[in-house]
Each structure stands twice: as structure tokens, then as C-alpha cells.
Amino acid sequence: MTETPSKTNTGRFFEDFRLGETIVHATPRTVTVGDVSLYTALYGPRFAVQSSDAFAKAIGYPAAPVDDLLVFHIVFGKTVPDISLNAVANLGYADGRFLKPVFPGDTLSTTSEVIGLKQTSGGDAGIVYVRSIGRNQHNEIVLSYARWVLVRKRQPGTPAAFELVPELPKSVAPEALGEGCPPLHPAAYDDALAGSSFRWGAYQAGERIDHVDGMTVEEAEHQIATRLYQNTAKVHFDGYGARETRFGKRLIYGGHVISLARALSFNGLGNAFHIAAINAGRHVSPLFAGDTVFAWSEVLEAAELPGREDVGALRLRLVATKNLPCNEHPLKHADQYADGVILDFDYWALLPR
């Protein structure tokens, strides 16, 4: 009797990836005002441009754009069944650019190219590097980013067929920023309604900002969030299977931490309305339900954008902690991250001038 091929997807293992292959991910997703409302309910972001059609139209947008990180999570979520379903951990991000605003009613789809492969010294897993591209219904690129993820091997000890670690830029150049932001009218930008009087020129390189507030993560919230992005990673949902992991319980999706920290950053960076690029990111340690997230930011660089007098860019290092207030800006002791640090995230944000 001929064995019937399995109709279910058990996810790829390290051996299943081929350098240079392009993966088309299911399922296209039309972003709705309901998605935006649920995202707001989960994280509480207060940036005026994404919160108010009237505010956004006054400064030059056709409507309030979708939060950049909601776009990121939806594009990212498409990739999980094909790339990281059998992941041990998502290791980092680089060279991410938000290239076109997304509005409710737009449909997003994702493809990924395998740009690197590297097996671990232990031989039981390997690092898969991909560049993922999110497009709208007009086939216009709205987001492009690279990430690398540690994926289990189906047969530990089997050698890698081919290895290559790609060269990725340490940061996105200022002259490559701004495509995701239309020309704006700074005079129409209402500081009082935005919640902050501090525009681009008020910030200096080296400045550190404690965002003061904390937000406790609930089990139901992080699972709702991950389902919102159609992220099917087992480590976030399967409490039964998680009993056999080294933590013995579900992990909080790393992107959930990024969104929490970004929302908290409003207190101190209320006019940093648009994420233009992701330079780098590292999930330093895991987060679990019941932990409280705090955040602080360091201004790494302030840059003018060629041909733009309406907005300027700040390169920001966003650090998130768990159960550790950030009044002393915790980060590292020598070369080791301080206990409690869970996220080290380097990005460019645009502010009105």
C-alpha cells in the first residue's frame, strides 16, 4: 500500500533551507481599522499621526497611517510557518527600511530570500539568514528587512551542505531614509495635540531618556497579539509542549516586547512619530507573562535628510528591561548585558522640524 504524503506542515528544519531560494509565504492580509484598534488596545501607543485622521491629514498624509510596528509584525508573521516554526530563538534584525506608508484597506503579502546559512558548533541546529519583503496590493514594497534565526536540525550532527554568513550594514544611512514619509507641513503640526513640544532640534547625541512608565504583560494579551499577526510559532502558544523546554513555559514573542517598549517611549519621544529604519536588534533574554516591562532610550545620532526640511531623523537605541525600572539606564557591565535587560533595539525615527 502506497503511503499517503502528509498534508500538514510541520515546519522546516535547518537542512531544508537552500541558499538563494525565494519563499512565497501564505496568507495575504488586508489590514483593517479593527486591526489598528486591537493593536492600540494591546499596547496603548499614543503617537498622534497614527491615532488621528484629522491630525494626519492636516500635516500631509491622506489618512492616519497604520503603526509601523503593526506593519512589521504582520509582514513578519507571514514568514513564521516557513522559516521559524522550528526555531530555538530569533537572534537579530538588520537593514530594515519602511519604504511606503500602509493604510487600512491595504493588503500585505510577504516573500523571503535565504541569504545565509551557518550551522552551530554543537551540530544540532543552524542559523538561517533571510531577507523578507512586504508588499502591498499594488506590488509596491512597504518594508524590507533582514533577520537571522536559530533553527533546529531534523537530524543533529548532519553537516551543512553549504555555509555563508552575509555581510549586513551596521546601520541604514541617513540619505536612505524618508521614503515611508510623505512631504509634511510642519507649521500644521500641533505640538499640544501631539503631546510633546520637543521636536527634532531639541535632542542631542548622547542624551538618555528614562521613559518612566512600566507595563505588566498578561498571558492572554501576548497570545492575542501573536494571533493578530498570524504568527504560528509553537513557543508562544503550546503550553503543553513548552513543558519540555528549558524554560518549561511559553515565551513572549519578541516583537511584543518591541511594541511595548515603543509605546512606552512616547513619554519622552512623543513626536518621534515614524520608524524609518531598523538598524539592528537583539532579544537579550526571554520575557514571560507576569513580568513588567520598562524602557529607556539613548540618542545615538541626529541627522538631516537630504532635500527634506520638514522632518529630521534621530538614531535611537531603545532598551527594554523586565522588572527593572530604568532611572539608571541599565544596559551592560563590561561586555555582558545587565540582569533584567531583555531588548537592545537600534532604529531611526523621524520627527518634525
Side-chain angles (χ1 to χ4, degrees):
M1 183 176 178
T2 303
E3 183 177 348
T4 303
S6 174
K7 295 181 175 64
T8 58
N9 174 30
T10 57
R12 290 184 174 211
F13 292 87
F14 180 74
E15 300 97 314
D16 299 324
F17 292 93
R18 296 292 178 267
L19 192 68
E21 70 172 312
T22 297
I23 304 168
V24 178
H25 305 292
T27 306
R29 173 75 176 276
T30 300
V31 185
T32 69
V33 292
D35 296 322
V36 174
S37 295
L38 184 52
Y39 186 86
T40 301
L42 289 165
Y43 304 108
R46 292 179 282 160
F47 297 96
V49 174
Q50 287 77 17
S51 298
S52 167
D53 279 339
F55 191 101
K57 289 178 180 178
I59 64 172
Y61 282 90
V66 174
D67 191 288
D68 300 303
L69 287 178
L70 176 55
V71 173
F72 174 81
H73 295 319
I74 290 174
V75 170
F76 181 102
K78 306 291 107 189
T79 71
V80 171
D82 301 309
I83 293 172
S84 49
L85 198 62
N86 294 309
V88 178
N90 191 60
L91 300 178
Y93 313 93
D95 197 25
R97 295 178 62 206
F98 292 84
L99 298 170
K100 195 171 185 65
V102 173
F103 301 94
D106 285 343
T107 298
L108 302 180
S109 58
T110 309
T111 59
S112 294
E113 179 186 358
V114 180
I115 59 174
L117 295 168
K118 176 69 175 178
Q119 70 177 3
T120 60
S121 58
D124 59 346
I127 301 172
V128 179
Y129 298 80
V130 298
R131 173 164 293 281
S132 296
I133 305 290
R135 293 178 171 84
N136 63 19
Q137 66 273 22
H138 305 298
N139 204 36
E140 299 166 324
I141 297 176
V142 301
L143 171 63
S144 170
Y145 70 94
R147 73 161 170 141
W148 48 105
V149 58
L150 183 63
V151 180
R152 296 180 180 88
K153 284 188 176 183
R154 178 180 286 106
Q155 296 181 325
T158 56
F162 188 84
E163 292 186 294
L164 173 70
V165 176
E167 291 188 15
L168 295 168
K170 292 184 178 179
S171 65
V172 177
E175 54 267 27
L177 304 174
E179 289 188 45
C181 177
L184 302 183
H185 311 300
Y189 192 99
D190 190 318
D191 291 343
L193 291 179
S196 174
S197 61
F198 301 110
R199 296 196 179 193
W200 174 74
Y203 295 89
Q204 304 295 325
E207 183 175 356
R208 292 183 167 191
I209 304 165
D210 173 15
H211 300 303
V212 181
D213 308 304
M215 197 177 301
T216 301
V217 178
E218 304 294 345
E219 193 78 85
E221 289 174 350
H222 88 86
Q223 291 189 67
I224 290 171
T226 313
R227 285 194 288 267
L228 174 65
Y229 317 133
Q230 297 174 321
N231 180 335
T232 58
K234 302 172 186 177
V235 294
H236 307 315
F237 295 119
D238 186 356
Y240 181 82
R243 297 179 308 167
E244 305 302 321
T245 68
R246 66 189 179 105
F247 300 113
K249 54 186 175 180
R250 287 169 290 203
L251 299 177
I252 306 297
Y253 163 50
H256 195 68
V257 179
I258 297 173
S259 282
L260 286 173
R262 165 71 173 163
L264 292 171
S265 76
F266 177 86
N267 191 353
L269 287 165
N271 286 324
F273 67 91
H274 170 52
I275 297 178
I278 297 172
N279 297 308
R282 180 177 177 185
H283 298 292
V284 177
S285 62
L287 181 72
F288 303 101
D291 290 334
T292 298
V293 175
F294 297 89
W296 66 275
S297 293
E298 180 180 4
V299 180
L300 300 177
E301 182 180 353
E304 296 185 2
L305 304 188
R308 300 286 298 260
E309 297 183 356
D310 54 338
V311 294
L314 293 182
R315 184 177 174 186
L316 299 165
R317 185 178 202 171
L318 176 61
V319 179
T321 64
K322 62 179 178 182
N323 309 321
L324 178 66
C326 292
N327 54 302
E328 295 185 359
H329 312 114
L331 184 58
K332 289 185 175 182
H333 298 304
D335 293 330
Q336 299 295 318
Y337 281 98
D339 290 341
V341 173
I342 56 176
L343 174 72
D344 189 357
F345 192 69
D346 179 341
Y347 71 104
W348 283 105
L350 300 192
L351 290 79
R353 296 182 63 170

